[in-house]
Amino acid sequence: MIDSNVSLSCAHYQAGGGASSAAATAKYEAASVSPSLSPTGHLLVAACLGVIGTLGFACNLAVLAMFWRFRALRTPINLLLVSISLSDLLVSVLGTPFSFAASIRGRWLIGRAGCVWYGFVNACLGIVSLISLAVLSYERYCTMTVPNMADGRDFRPALAGICFSWFYSMAWTLPPLLGWSRYGPEGPGTTCSVDWRSQTANNVSYVVCLFAFCLLLPFAVIVFSYGKLLHAIRQVRSSSSVVTRRREQRVLVMVVTMVVCYLVCWLPYGVVALMATFGPGDPLSPEASIVPSLLAKSSTVVNPFIYIFMNKQFYRCFRAFFRCSAVEGRSTLKTFSRVTKTLRGVRPELGDHQVSAAAPTSAHATPTSASATPQSHRRSSEADHRPPAHANGSKPKATLVAHYRE
């Protein structure tokens, strides 16, 4: 196994046009060689990859099938979720089977060109997923707080975000093919990725930029967007109902889960990559070095459960899809609430922190609501003649123009 890694690394180095001196070549070989796992270790890794690949393929394929079947799911925000599921599905098809077969045999099976191809495809799709999560969080924040974004029929912002995610990923994964760093074997030699171990200025500069712009920057956007979203929801808490407060708690749990899973899946991989780049020799054992790679690949399973199946809208369609029945509660499938002209004011004691919240709408009126319509209409008419809550010149700090569907 070690000999195969040496030959693969040497061939990759010579093809990349590195230093020609024997001392530099020997140094590169020494840095590229890492001890292999035991046969039992390889089988355990293969079992984990088999589970991850199977679940990732099934879950993401189910998401795409539901989006194709149910017209109610075809909204701008859900289109971003479909892009994430597509990238994760491609990882399960184009990446995981090759690392699974390599773990079964205990060595890389498809040569140097296959290693470069595997490293490029998986890096590109992984960054697409990371950037798409950041774009999704920003789109959710804008949809909730910016009035002209709360249009469930305008797909242009979502399509622009999807195109940006894919082109941004291509911009950061093509350079290793053109000479800025390179793709090669990683860990015990059964997977391929960016060359983390070479400590040349060319490679170190790329690794640092990749870590900053493809891991830390998306995480900062996610924290900022969901932080502002939670702040806007908390501003309307004093004037909201018990149902809205429960929704706020569910949104908070979902946001915390998103951030924690993002860190668990990707932060160990980034930290180990930096340790391999700046540390002396191999700072981790083969067993420890393969764990971050497995966690990163597990995001293909985690993303559908967090972003799809924790969403009530998708969950109802999921149950209807496998029961071959109609979706229950069609009125609840609306992602965006209509922005009403009359906004509900907050309590006077809020002072300068006045916030307005859009009143929820329902597609089907119940008998109770039908009988109360004249009275509610008179109240609405009276409210229309009242001076606005911010008539004294102070503007509301935030206005929620769409209800978040968790």
Side-chain angles (χ1 to χ4, degrees), residues 253-327:
V253 171
M254 186 174 181
V255 168
V256 171
T257 304
M258 292 174 183
V259 174
V260 170
C261 289
Y262 182 97
L263 292 176
V264 170
C265 289
W266 292 104
L267 186 61
Y269 190 79
V271 171
V272 169
L274 292 179
M275 292 174 60
T277 301
F278 295 100
D282 290 324
L284 298 176
S285 64
E287 293 79 6
S289 64
I290 197 65
V291 172
S293 180
L294 293 175
L295 289 176
K297 288 179 173 59
S298 68
S299 64
T300 60
V301 180
V302 172
N303 287 338
F305 277 97
I306 294 179
Y307 292 88
I308 306 298
F309 297 116
M310 286 180 63
N311 185 308
K312 288 185 177 180
Q313 182 183 15
F314 266 94
Y315 180 69
R316 292 189 183 97
C317 291
F318 176 77
R319 293 197 307 175
F321 181 78
F322 285 97
R323 292 179 180 178
C324 298
S325 61
V327 181

Side-chain angles (χ1 to χ4, degrees), residues 196-213:
W196 308 117
R197 289 186 290 255
S198 180
Q199 297 182 352
T200 62
N202 178 284
N203 192 70
V204 170
S205 61
Y206 176 78
V207 170
V208 171
C209 291
L210 194 69
F211 183 81
F213 292 100

Side-chain angles (χ1 to χ4, degrees), residues 152-173:
R153 297 167 297 179
D154 188 4
F155 284 82
R156 288 175 297 177
L159 291 175
I162 292 172
C163 293
F164 172 78
S165 302
W166 286 85
F167 281 110
Y168 187 90
S169 177
M170 292 288 290
W172 281 106
T173 52

Side-chain angles (χ1 to χ4, degrees), residues 1-221:
M1 176 62 194
I2 295 179
D3 293 337
S4 64
N5 284 341
V6 172
S7 60
L8 178 60
S9 301
C10 291
H12 191 68
Y13 170 77
Q14 293 170 0
S20 58
S21 64
T25 302
K27 181 179 180 180
Y28 180 83
E29 292 177 1
S32 299
V33 175
S34 60
S36 177
L37 293 173
S38 64
T40 304
H42 281 298
L43 291 178
L44 289 176
V45 171
C48 293
L49 289 173
V51 173
I52 292 173
T54 303
L55 290 179
F57 177 81
C59 294
N60 290 289
L61 184 63
V63 170
L64 298 179
M66 286 189 295
F67 186 81
W68 174 79
R69 177 178 176 182
F70 298 105
R71 187 180 298 272
L73 294 179
R74 299 171 192 173
T75 62
I77 290 294
N78 289 344
L79 192 62
L80 286 167
L81 294 175
V82 168
S83 178
I84 296 173
S85 292
L86 178 61
S87 64
D88 291 341
L89 179 66
L90 291 177
V91 170
S92 302
V93 173
L94 302 178
T96 307
F98 295 98
S99 54
F100 172 77
S103 297
I104 290 290
R105 297 293 299 274
R107 61 184 180 86
W108 187 251
L109 300 176
I110 57 177
R112 182 184 68 85
C115 182
V116 173
W117 174 84
Y118 177 95
F120 167 73
V121 169
N122 282 268
C124 181
L125 295 174
I127 294 175
V128 166
S129 179
L130 291 175
I131 302 301
S132 297
L133 295 179
V135 172
L136 174 66
S137 65
Y138 184 74
E139 289 286 343
R140 279 176 167 171
Y141 163 67
C142 291
T143 300
M144 289 287 292
T145 57
V146 181
N148 59 2
M149 291 288 290
D151 185 0
R153 297 167 297 179
D154 188 4
F155 284 82
R156 288 175 297 177
L159 291 175
I162 292 172
C163 293
F164 172 78
S165 302
W166 286 85
F167 281 110
Y168 187 90
S169 177
M170 292 288 290
W172 281 106
T173 52
L174 282 176
L177 301 178
L178 304 176
W180 191 19
S181 186
R182 54 181 163 260
Y183 294 109
E186 68 170 352
T190 53
T191 59
C192 295
S193 184
V194 176
D195 181 14
W196 308 117
R197 289 186 290 255
S198 180
Q199 297 182 352
T200 62
N202 178 284
N203 192 70
V204 170
S205 61
Y206 176 78
V207 170
V208 171
C209 291
L210 194 69
F211 183 81
F213 292 100
C214 296
L215 184 63
L216 292 184
L217 182 61
F219 178 70
V221 173

Side-chain angles (χ1 to χ4, degrees), residues 137-138 141-142 217-231 259:
S137 65
Y138 184 74
Y141 163 67
C142 291
L217 182 61
F219 178 70
V221 173
I222 290 173
V223 172
F224 169 80
S225 300
Y226 285 132
K228 297 288 287 186
L229 179 60
L230 288 176
H231 178 68
V259 174

